[in-house]
């Protein structure tokens, strides 16, 4: 698959001297849904703003559809639709006018039939002549999406599309995103909920402190995420894993003083009870037992812990 | 040039104006009428003529300039400040447009509104006094250039301002005094010699004088100087706008 958006070693230092992006590198494939997952303050919005031309980059390169965002900004920006994190709309403007402005701004010929289609898809057609201030939060978010879609982008950024949205509307949003992908648009969305990334994305990129820590297929990631390790410390020293324990696929710990078992926390049976029984049956004596999360899981735990206080404050 | 984008900005800005057309139309009509009642009737009964022009007619060019300058400036400054304040500027910054296109869209709309109001005042004035325009083409040129240059200045103020207070600061502290002291309602030859000299440092004097010349074929300062002043002011505003364009000053972090 070809990459539609390519970010290389992107750095952004704000005027105050704060470095919000510290060499972020990320390739996004045409047609995928990529979730940019990270706690508040990780640099998600900064990354999007820089790609879209709202903030100036300090160093690095970004290309969209092969066009450099600085030297070929017209071609690059023409491919991008942006749905910002904040519900920024002019309260006294009507839905249709604001959507038509967006299309015009991107240099696209007037096409009211297309706008009608977009508004219908987002269940906004009935509200086309309503003023923005009359709309609910969920509808305002959809107006922002309609604005972004009005100029037929190939890449769509959704910055925290479900922030401050109740459970019901969150599900609606997930459907909207799935529809978009089906229509061939590449979608990059940010979130600080793992569950949300899991529900919507094909791939997940984790960002923290201005760096992309990893990019993985969602399925692969989720599989790894559930994994934990159980380390059984022994009084004896072993040269090899006893044959009787072969079925558990164990590793020998440091110095042969322990056995390490990897299991899936989300499986119906973890196999721990059986393992411990079999260890005893093999004539080994347990000195201690400890469990730990895979390093990936650690990342997520930190992420979630970082995200929680802000959520409570909202 | 992305003309579609320019047209989109222009139309969007004008739509706001047309939504409140009655108000946009009525307020200059009413305020002009009031000026004629106050200046024309009250003062005009004591000052019969200024340099051979009946006082009622004499104040018309100044009145138009006064309104057009403040309207052009406030329209443009508000026009660009409001999206900054609301956050909707994100869309303009992320659109495939350059700064020149943004300026043409916003300044063009603000200047058009000011021009519209100027024409309404001219028409209203014609109901009160006899008006002849000696140099119609020059009149239109001065009027349009004034609308555009003050809209440009307003645009710069709107980009510079970080609060509503700042937005009103320069118009209130600098422009309004200069405009009122710029000879809108009097000829500077009516002032004592010392103040005549001081007044010549006020750029607005040149604009009003030139505009008045287009009506009555008489001016406080040579009309060439007036043209130079308005052209210079426009060029200065354009240069500042160009610099903002290159640096992204107060627009892009
Ligand atoms: N305009 C700005 N000036 C200075 N610092 C900023 C600015 N915008 C964001 N930051 C800082 O950059 C960091 C990343 O912010 P942001 O990209 O909004 O994070 P996220 O969207 O992941 O929550 C934060 O620490 C934030 O305080
Ligand atoms: Mg953010």
């Amino acid at each position: 698959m070809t990459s539609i958006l390519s970010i290389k070693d992107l750095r952004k230092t704000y005027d105050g001297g704060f470095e919000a992006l510290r060499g972020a590198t990320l390739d996004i494939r045409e047609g995928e849904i990529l979730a940019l997952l990270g706690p508040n303050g990780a640099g998600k919005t900064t990354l999007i703003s820089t790609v879209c031309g709202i903030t100036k980059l300090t160093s690095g390169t970004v290309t969209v559809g092969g066009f450099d965002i600085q030297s070929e900004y017209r071609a690059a920006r023409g491919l991008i639709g942006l749905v910002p994190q904040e519900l920024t709309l002019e309260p006294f403007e009507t839905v249709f006018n604001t959507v038509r402005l967006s299309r015009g701004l991107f240099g696209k010929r007037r096409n009211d039939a297309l706008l009608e289609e977009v508004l219908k898809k987002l269940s906004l057609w009935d509200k086309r002549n309503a003023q923005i201030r009359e709309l609910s939060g969920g509808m305002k978010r959809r107006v922002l999406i309609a604005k972004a879609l009005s100029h037929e982008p190939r890449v769509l950024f959704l910055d925290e599309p479900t922030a401050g949205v109740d459970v019901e509307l969150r599900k609606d949003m997930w459907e909207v995103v799935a529809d978009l992908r089906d229509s061939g648009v590449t979608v990059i969305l940010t979130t600080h909920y793992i569950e949300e990334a899991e529900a919507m994305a094909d791939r997940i990129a984790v960002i923290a402190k201005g760096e992309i820590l990893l990019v993985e297929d969602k399925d692969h990631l989720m599989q790894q995420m559930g994994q934990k390790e159980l380390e059984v410390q022994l009084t004896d020293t072993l040269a090899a894993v006893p044959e009787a324990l072969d079925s558990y696929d164990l590793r020998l710990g440091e110095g042969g003083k322990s056995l390490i078992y990897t299991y899936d926390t989300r499986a119906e049976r973890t196999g721990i009870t059986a393992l411990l029984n079999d260890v005893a049956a093999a004539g080994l004596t347990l000195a201690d037992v400890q469990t730990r999360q895979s390093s990936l899981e650690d990342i997520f735990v930190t992420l979630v812990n970082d995200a929680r206080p802000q959520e409570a404050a909202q | 040039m992305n003309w579609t984008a320019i047209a989109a900005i222009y139309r969007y800005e004008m739509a706001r104006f047309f939504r409140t057309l009655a108000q946009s139309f009525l307020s200059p009509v009413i305020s002009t009428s009031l000026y004629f009642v106050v200046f024309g009737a009250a003062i005009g009964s004591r000052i019969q003529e200024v340099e051979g022009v009946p006082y009622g007619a004499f104040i018309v060019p100044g009145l138009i300039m006064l309104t057009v300058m403040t309207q052009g400036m406030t329209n443009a400054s508000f026009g660009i400040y409001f999206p900054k304040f609301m956050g909707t500027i994100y869309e303009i910054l992320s659109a495939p447009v350059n700064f020149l296109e943004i300026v043409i869209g916003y300044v063009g709309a603000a200047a058009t509104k000011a021009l519209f109001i100027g024409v309404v005042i001219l028409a209203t004035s014609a109901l009160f006094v006899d008006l002849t325009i000696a140099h119609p083409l020059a009149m239109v040129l001065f009027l349009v250039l004034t609308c555009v240059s003050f809209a440009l200045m307003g645009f710069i103020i709107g980009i510079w301002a970080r609060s509503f207070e700042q937005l009103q600061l320069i118009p209130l502290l600098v422009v309004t005094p200069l405009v009122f002291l710029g000879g809108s309602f009097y000829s500077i030859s009516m002032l004592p010699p010392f103040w005549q000299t001081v007044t010549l440092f006020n750029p607005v004097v040149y604009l009003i004088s030139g505009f008045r010349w287009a009506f009555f074929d008489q001016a406080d300062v040579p009309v060439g100087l007036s043209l130079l002043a308005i052209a210079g002011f426009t060029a200065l505003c354009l240069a500042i706008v160009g610099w903002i364009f290159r640096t992204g000053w107060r627009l892009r972090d």
Side-chain angles (χ1 to χ4, degrees), chain B residues 35 52 60 67 80 86 94 105 110 121 126 141 147 159 163 191 208 210 228-229 242 245 250:
Chain B
Y35 271 113
V60 172
T67 316
I80 190 69
M86 295 300 299
S94 64
I121 295 175
L141 181 72
C147 290
I159 286 191
S163 63
L191 297 174
I208 292 178
L228 211 64
F245 164 45
R250 299 243 165 138

Side-chain angles (χ1 to χ4, degrees), chain A residues 7 70 101 148 159 182 196 218 224 239 254 273:
Chain A
I7 300 170
Q70 287 183 297
L101 169 70
D159 199 356
D182 293 344
E196 185 156 285
K218 178 188 69 185
Q224 279 178 286
E254 194 125 331
T273 319

Side-chain angles (χ1 to χ4, degrees), chain A residues 14-16 18 20 38-47 85 159-160, chain B residues 253:
Chain A
Y14 280 110
D15 281 346
F18 183 79
N40 283 322
K44 303 183 293 295
T45 300
T46 303
L47 183 86
Q85 180 172 353
D159 199 356
E160 311 242 0
Chain B
D253 285 321

Side-chain angles (χ1 to χ4, degrees), chain A residues 51-166:
Chain A
V51 172
C52 293
I54 295 167
T55 56
K56 291 182 288 188
L57 58 78
T58 306
S59 70
T61 54
V62 180
T63 58
V64 186
F67 300 108
D68 185 88
I69 59 158
Q70 287 183 297
S71 58
E72 299 161 297
Y73 71 94
R74 276 195 206 264
R77 287 187 203 165
L79 300 175
I80 301 176
L82 167 62
V83 181
Q85 180 172 353
E86 308 292 337
L87 295 175
T88 41
L89 288 161
E90 289 184 23
F92 296 103
E93 205 43 75
T94 65
V95 170
F96 201 77
N97 276 349
T98 188
V99 173
R100 192 155 60 190
L101 169 70
S102 302
R103 186 171 170 83
L105 268 179
F106 279 71
K108 291 278 168 74
R109 291 254 153 266
R110 186 170 168 170
N111 182 349
D112 287 353
L114 179 114
L115 299 188
E116 179 175 342
E117 191 185 310
V118 167
L119 289 175
K120 280 184 172 158
K121 199 160 72 181
L122 292 162
S123 323
L124 284 169
W125 183 242
D126 294 343
K127 297 283 180 188
R128 64 191 178 279
N129 294 319
Q131 289 186 350
I132 303 291
R133 67 195 170 106
E134 300 164 24
L135 305 182
S136 68
M139 282 188 207
K140 284 181 188 154
R141 179 79 61 191
R142 276 183 278 138
V143 172
L144 288 171
I145 297 178
K147 280 167 76 69
L149 292 179
S150 71
H151 48 84
E152 305 162 83
R154 278 173 61 203
V155 181
L156 184 70
F157 285 103
L158 290 163
D159 199 356
E160 311 242 0
T162 62
V165 160
D166 62 36

